[in-house]
């Protein structure tokens, strides 16, 4: 007779300290940096050119990138937190972050050559 250890996952509504700090930082960034630009971006139907470099600096454009490429090697859940907090302020910027994390980065990681990894990651 074997005794299996059952691990119970914590609810998604209870965040770890790291997740809470990350969510708070992204929320502050969104409210302080993105929110003042939303009306103008909506009127012009264009992203403000300062937003994308700032998103990279914040680290939300490569949440799951492995540490060997300079990323934090974090989880998909952390990427979801980033998208959720940014989308609270501007859905379009939230989609930009989501697509970059889930499509672009994953495609490059999975199917890119080592040269492509070095160049883009």
């Amino acid at each position: 007779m074997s005794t299996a250890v059952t691990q119970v996952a914590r609810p998604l509504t209870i965040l770890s300290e790291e997740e809470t700090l990350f969510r708070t930082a992204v929320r502050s960034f969104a409210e302080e940096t993105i929110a003042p630009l939303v009306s103008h971006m909506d009127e012009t139907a264009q992203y403000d050119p300062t937003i994308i470099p700032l998103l990279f600096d914040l680290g939300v454009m490569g949440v799951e990138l492995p540490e060997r490429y300079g990323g934090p090697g974090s989880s998909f859940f952390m990427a979801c937190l980033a998208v959720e907090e940014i989308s609270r302020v501007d859905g379009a910027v939230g989609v930009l972050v989501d697509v970059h994390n889930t499509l672009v980065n994953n495609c490059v990681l999975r199917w890119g050559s080592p040269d492509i990894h070095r160049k883009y990651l």
Side-chain angles (χ1 to χ4, degrees):
M1 180 161 125
S2 74
T3 57
V5 176
T6 303
Q7 289 188 359
V8 178
R10 70 183 154 77
L12 295 177
T13 55
I14 300 174
L15 303 180
S16 70
E17 182 178 352
E18 178 187 10
E19 292 164 344
T20 300
L21 290 171
F22 179 74
R23 181 181 69 175
T24 300
V26 175
R27 180 178 289 187
S28 294
F29 172 83
E31 290 173 351
E32 295 167 13
T33 306
I34 299 172
L37 304 172
V38 171
S39 292
H40 181 70
M41 291 190 299
D42 285 349
E43 290 168 7
T44 61
Q46 293 182 347
Y47 290 113
D48 184 290
T50 63
I51 293 256
I52 294 173
L54 293 173
L55 291 168
F56 276 96
D57 290 345
L58 183 62
V60 298
M61 296 299 269
V63 176
E64 294 180 85
L65 288 180
E67 291 177 9
R68 69 182 177 271
Y69 299 120
S74 198
S75 67
F76 176 69
F77 183 68
M78 292 285 265
C80 292
L81 287 175
V83 170
E84 183 177 66
E85 291 304 319
I86 290 169
S87 295
R88 288 178 65 247
V89 171
D90 187 1
V93 177
V95 169
L96 172 70
V97 171
D98 184 30
V99 167
H100 196 270
N101 276 286
T102 59
L103 296 178
V104 175
N105 290 344
N106 281 328
C107 285
V108 171
L109 278 170
R110 290 177 190 203
W111 297 295
S113 68
D115 288 340
I116 294 293
H117 289 169
R118 280 189 293 281
K119 183 174 182 178
Y120 293 105
L121 301 178

